[in-house]
Amino acid sequence: MTNNTALRARLAQLFPDAPPLAYVRTYGCQGNVSDGERLQGMLAELGFSFCASPDDADFVLLNTCAVREHAQVRVFGNVGAFKPLKKSRRRMKIAVCGCMVQQEGVAEELRRVFPFVDLIFGTHALPKLPEMLWELYENDAKVTDVENLDGSITEDLPLRRESTFRAWLPISYGCDNFCSYCVVPHVRGRERSRTPEAVLDELRRLVGEGYRDITLLGQNVNSYGKGLAETPTFPALLQAICAVPGDFRVRFMTSHPKDCSRELLAVMAENPKICRHLHLPVQSGNNEILGRMNRKYTRERYLETVQTAKALMPDLTLTSDIIVGFPGETDAQFRDTLALVRAVEYGALFTFIYSPRVGTPAAALPDPIPRAEKVARLQELCRVQEEITLRRSQSLVGQTLRVLVERVGKAEGTLAGRLESNAVVEFLGGSETIGHFIDVTITDATRLVLQGTQN
Ligand code: 5AD
Ligand code: SF4
């Protein structure tokens, strides 16, 4: 066990003129972004400052994703690109962490291909960053820690948040669902929930600090509470969150459709603090594919849930993830997905071509569909969704909606903000409103960005 004071002193000795600079790059989902904020928090507490380019960095940390092969290929490419930089800057240390290296065999491969990497650690070792840095800076060692310490949560890690008004708030970690294509349960371990007290404490702190848009995170927020004493439910947690006073709104992801209860939808409908936005990934619109994906719901049950949600909240925006080209998916089965997308009328879709992941059951299934066919399906799906998005956006013209102002916009003198639905709106205005809610009337709608005027 190191103590942080000793490590801080060691770093001050090694970097006497200015604090060491860290470059942290996060790939992948919001869960990873949230981990990245904790990694940066630990580094800041140890005396690191941060830089925007690896060229200036004393410590490079790549926080990786494993959900699709593409993410992994990119990281390998990026690590390779550090070789000349590391040669020219002897003191520079390079670390790779997160889901990609938690996969079996990947740490070994990374070590073999890139022996200049100093530190490799998986998702479970994240809280041990100070100890691992001690080994690096005090003992000049190379460190690998990809042990599978299933089932633990470390509370109270320091945090360096990216925004001062939008925050990620993890409520659970890991996943027990084992969808047949997905590597997450293998690299993030079993599902475990933070206690309601820990979640509410963090939320109260955020609200007190002026955070206004808070996203609760979990691979399946709907099964929140499993394994905790008194098994609190997700709807109950949401109600406790909504009872916290303050000018904030809350959203959550991801909801697994198999556990999306009427009670949850009713709690959403009753509470104006909960965004009228539900990310409910369907993955496929065909029952046979859903079965092979191990999703545990049918197309009919999914559509029923959607109908209930829309009946309770007519202004709800649904979003979804869809995988095309799952092993053996026929054209007719893909058409079922297209028809479902047309029926639900999502506000936005996140679309993926199936990517085989080592160790998952789907990777062993025969997959005769050519890549070109899968690409064509993805393109067709995106075209269908673009029409829907445009139609939905145009239906907002004339409405006055609450916007959280986030940043200056692309065009001169404009600002950009987000609706409850998560859609982006641009409008003329001064930067003093950034980080605050304002009312904007929608005047024009192109596919990606809405235009409006401030009231
Ligand atoms: N191939 C393609 N997409 C995947 N996803 C998860 N695993 C895979 C895979 N092997 C998608 C799912 C999930 C989202 C986060 O990533 O749609 O909801
Ligand atoms: Fe992966 Fe399914 Fe768990 Fe989501 S619910 S993380 S898709 S296994």
Side-chain angles (χ1 to χ4, degrees), residues 176-439:
D176 286 351
N177 291 309
F178 290 93
C179 300
S180 66
Y181 50 81
C182 187
V183 78
V184 169
H186 306 269
V187 295
R188 290 256 172 202
R190 293 295 58 74
E191 186 177 312
R192 58 246 181 236
S193 296
R194 295 177 75 187
T195 62
E197 293 73 33
V199 173
L200 287 163
D201 270 0
E202 187 169 340
L203 181 100
R204 281 192 209 98
R205 266 200 309 275
L206 287 169
V207 173
E209 290 167 16
Y211 282 87
R212 308 213 178 261
D213 191 307
I214 296 162
T215 305
L216 311 177
L217 293 178
Q219 299 299 340
N220 179 12
V221 291
N222 297 340
S223 54
Y224 171 80
K226 209 168 69 180
L228 286 180
E230 291 163 29
T231 46
T233 64
F234 184 54
L237 180 73
L238 273 178
Q239 267 174 326
I241 284 173
C242 291
V244 172
D247 189 18
F248 68 95
R249 68 190 185 191
V250 62
R251 58 181 90 234
F252 49 86
M253 63 193 306
T254 289
S255 271
H256 195 307
K258 79 177 165 65
D259 304 314
C260 184
S261 62
R262 195 192 158 85
E263 186 194 359
L264 168 65
L265 299 171
V267 168
M268 283 181 80
E270 279 160 18
N271 281 289
K273 277 188 173 136
I274 306 177
C275 291
R276 294 286 178 267
H277 172 209
L278 181 60
H279 186 60
L280 197 65
V282 70
Q283 312 296 358
S284 165
N286 175 271
N287 283 339
E288 198 182 316
I289 296 290
L290 286 171
R292 270 193 265 150
M293 285 179 163
N294 193 28
R295 291 291 287 177
K296 303 195 178 90
Y297 53 84
T298 59
R299 170 197 180 90
E300 292 72 26
R301 225 192 93 202
Y302 182 90
L303 287 171
E304 239 174 68
T305 305
V306 165
Q307 213 174 26
T308 309
K310 284 182 174 176
L312 287 166
M313 295 167 280
D315 52 349
L316 178 70
T317 296
L318 285 144
T319 56
S320 196
D321 297 343
I322 288 183
I323 297 177
V324 302
F326 186 78
E329 182 195 59
T330 64
D331 190 61
Q333 288 168 332
F334 167 67
R335 306 264 140 224
D336 285 345
T337 299
L338 279 183
L340 179 137
V341 165
R342 287 202 176 92
V344 176
E345 299 211 290
Y346 294 106
L349 273 189
F350 301 89
T351 55
F352 312 101
I353 292 181
Y354 169 73
S355 170
R357 308 311 292 134
V358 176
T360 61
L365 296 174
D367 188 10
I369 290 108
R371 170 104 193 152
E373 173 64 35
K374 297 187 179 195
V375 172
R377 286 180 194 171
L378 186 80
Q379 286 167 343
E380 189 174 355
L381 177 60
C382 292
R383 267 199 312 277
V384 166
Q385 181 56 41
E386 277 171 20
E387 280 170 31
I388 297 169
T389 307
L390 184 62
R391 207 165 49 240
R392 287 181 59 94
S393 296
Q394 283 167 347
S395 74
L396 296 178
V397 172
Q399 290 191 34
T400 299
L401 300 166
R402 209 153 102 105
V403 169
L404 177 61
V405 188
E406 290 195 342
R407 55 182 164 83
V408 291
K410 290 215 176 70
E412 181 80 29
T414 62
L415 297 172
R418 225 171 263 270
L419 299 174
E420 273 190 37
S421 69
N422 231 2
V424 176
V425 190
E426 284 196 346
F427 47 92
L428 286 172
S431 58
E432 68 284 352
T433 55
I434 290 178
H436 297 274
F437 289 115
I438 59 165
D439 283 338

Side-chain angles (χ1 to χ4, degrees), residues 37 67-68 319 349 411:
E37 293 184 338
V67 83
R68 282 168 293 275
T319 56
L349 273 189

Side-chain angles (χ1 to χ4, degrees), residues 20-157:
L21 289 178
Y23 168 78
V24 180
R25 173 147 183 208
T26 291
Y27 301 78
C29 69
Q30 283 83 355
N32 245 20
V33 172
S34 172
D35 280 356
E37 293 184 338
R38 284 179 165 75
L39 289 162
Q40 293 194 46
M42 287 187 271
L43 290 169
E45 205 167 83
L46 294 166
F48 281 87
S49 290
F50 296 89
C51 56
S53 159
D55 296 342
D56 305 319
D58 300 297
F59 182 69
V60 169
L61 176 56
L62 302 181
N63 180 24
T64 64
C65 167
V67 83
R68 282 168 293 275
E69 192 187 5
H70 176 69
Q72 188 155 330
V73 171
R74 251 172 78 207
V75 169
F76 266 78
N78 290 349
V79 176
F82 287 127
K83 192 173 179 180
L85 192 63
K86 169 109 183 175
K87 261 204 171 126
S88 66
R89 308 192 60 187
R90 266 192 331 105
R91 263 195 339 195
M92 184 181 187
K93 306 259 188 215
I94 296 184
V96 185
C97 72
C99 289
M100 182 187 103
V101 293
Q102 190 72 56
Q103 292 175 104
E104 210 169 306
V106 174
E108 289 85 341
E109 191 188 348
L110 203 61
R111 277 257 167 269
R112 189 174 49 77
V113 183
F114 304 118
F116 58 87
V117 170
D118 299 282
L119 168 61
I120 298 174
F121 62 101
T123 52
H124 302 282
L126 181 142
K128 293 194 268 176
L129 181 63
E131 291 158 58
M132 298 184 285
L133 289 178
W134 177 258
E135 289 302 313
L136 243 57
Y137 286 105
E138 175 65 19
N139 300 330
D140 213 13
K142 297 238 182 241
V143 179
T144 303
D145 187 342
V146 290
E147 201 187 336
N148 201 338
L149 295 170
D150 224 0
S152 65
I153 294 184
T154 308
E155 289 292 349
D156 298 326
L157 289 176

